[in-house]
Amino acid sequence: MRIGISCYPTVGGSGAVATELGKALAKRGHEVHFIVTDVPFRLGTFVEHVYIHQMDTVTYPVLRTPPYDFSLAALMAKVIDEHQLDVLHAHYALPFAVCAHLAQEMAHHPAKVVTTLHGTDVTVLAQDTSLKQVIKLGIERSDAVTAVSESLIGQTRELFETNKPIRCVYNFIDPDVFQPQCGQSVRKSLARPGERVLLHISNFRPVKRIQDVIDVFARVQTQVAARLVMVGEGPEYNEARNQVERLRLGDKVDFLGRQDEVAPLVAAADLLLLPSSKESFGLVALEAMACQIPVIGTFAGGIPEVVLHGQTGFLSPIGDVEEMAAHAVRLLTDGALYRRFAEASRRRAVEHFHIADKVAEYEQLYREVCSQ
Ligand code: GMT
């Protein structure tokens, strides 16, 4: 098949999933066209059958803001026609599904639009009533819609009052990339012997509750020799650094900033902290589980569909830092429990979220929409 993919190219789960999906489809012989503002961060080196179409933004003194979305829609239409795309896969309703719909109207060749909802469009942007109608249009005009968790499907139905069929296709990992051994060399530079490593990776948005990450760690380190490794950057970054200073934890917390290749860091940790207030899936939790790293998180959104409470991690109500810290200490001080959780984590990741299975699910969906 000839498949177009549009996604946010920057660091983030949706970009990672879209890019890994595209690479995997190309390896299975499909022709994959990324239609993007920048080269996706996970693309890496040359992959046969993958083509990049990068958008030029029009700027002109009369235009106070560049007409980004129209340029993207025009590029999508051009690629649909020039490469006779069968499917255009939009990762996020806003702006990609809406642009794809415009592109369908402009193009001569009849490509189908598949939209994957990743969360922020539904759980955050749709709270703005002016955007809500646009997002709803993007969803309802798609030829097929998927969401990354059952929880997100439920929220979408409720919020948009739509009966549009939405299929759950969970996010996935490549278990050969996210595997326990890949962190061995990094571990030495993260912690001294005898110290345990707690890890947080995110874009430091308010929904990630960075303050809770640090509050949990502050409690854990009073009972277990431990370090906190913070990966990523975003709006809460400076406040996080201030909080660490205020709590006098500067010598136990490392801020590594943005990192594009996270597998070795994840595998080098002992626990992943994900205390989010909103999380449609929590890709980083799955990546940790694949590396045999249990997760301390919340019951928010789709997290319980990924992390099995009491088997591959412990989940708590949002904001309950006392309970999260107690769970972390319990796992770090009970070797047999930790090993059981670590093994169950890897098993669950490989059995339920294997890249090969999810790519096959998307392929099947593409075939279905093309035969409609
Ligand atoms: O978590 C973020 O803020 C980034 C965002 C993204 O665009 O990558 O993540 C969303 O999509 C990921 C991939 O499907 C999910 O794993 C994240 O849970 C989801 N984030 C939220 O729902 C807040």
Side-chain angles (χ1 to χ4, degrees), residues 12-14 92 118 148 171 203 205 208 278-283:
S14 62
Y92 267 118
H118 284 275
V148 298
N171 287 333
N203 51 16
R205 288 197 298 128
K208 304 295 176 180
K278 289 185 195 300
E279 203 68 71
S280 65
F281 184 89
L283 184 64

Side-chain angles (χ1 to χ4, degrees), residues 214-215 218 242-250:
I214 296 164
D215 282 342
N242 292 342
Q243 187 186 353
V244 166
E245 284 309 306
R246 276 197 307 277
L247 295 171
R248 297 182 195 288
L249 290 173

Side-chain angles (χ1 to χ4, degrees), residues 55 87 123 136 168 188 263 268 279 298:
M55 192 187 90
V87 170
T123 58
K136 185 168 177 174
C168 179
K188 285 191 282 291
E279 203 68 71
T298 58

Side-chain angles (χ1 to χ4, degrees), residues 8 10-18 41 91-92 116-121 123-124 147-149 152 155 169-171 201-205 207-208 274 276-285 301-303 306:
Y8 285 115
T10 47
V11 182
S14 62
V17 165
F41 76 101
H91 288 264
Y92 267 118
T116 291
L117 304 174
H118 284 275
T120 304
D121 39 7
T123 58
V124 181
V148 298
S149 63
L152 186 57
Q155 289 183 68
V169 181
Y170 284 124
N171 287 333
I201 304 183
S202 77
N203 51 16
F204 286 54
R205 288 197 298 128
V207 291
K208 304 295 176 180
L274 191 65
S276 310
S277 59
K278 289 185 195 300
E279 203 68 71
S280 65
F281 184 89
L283 184 64
V284 69
I303 295 178
V306 182

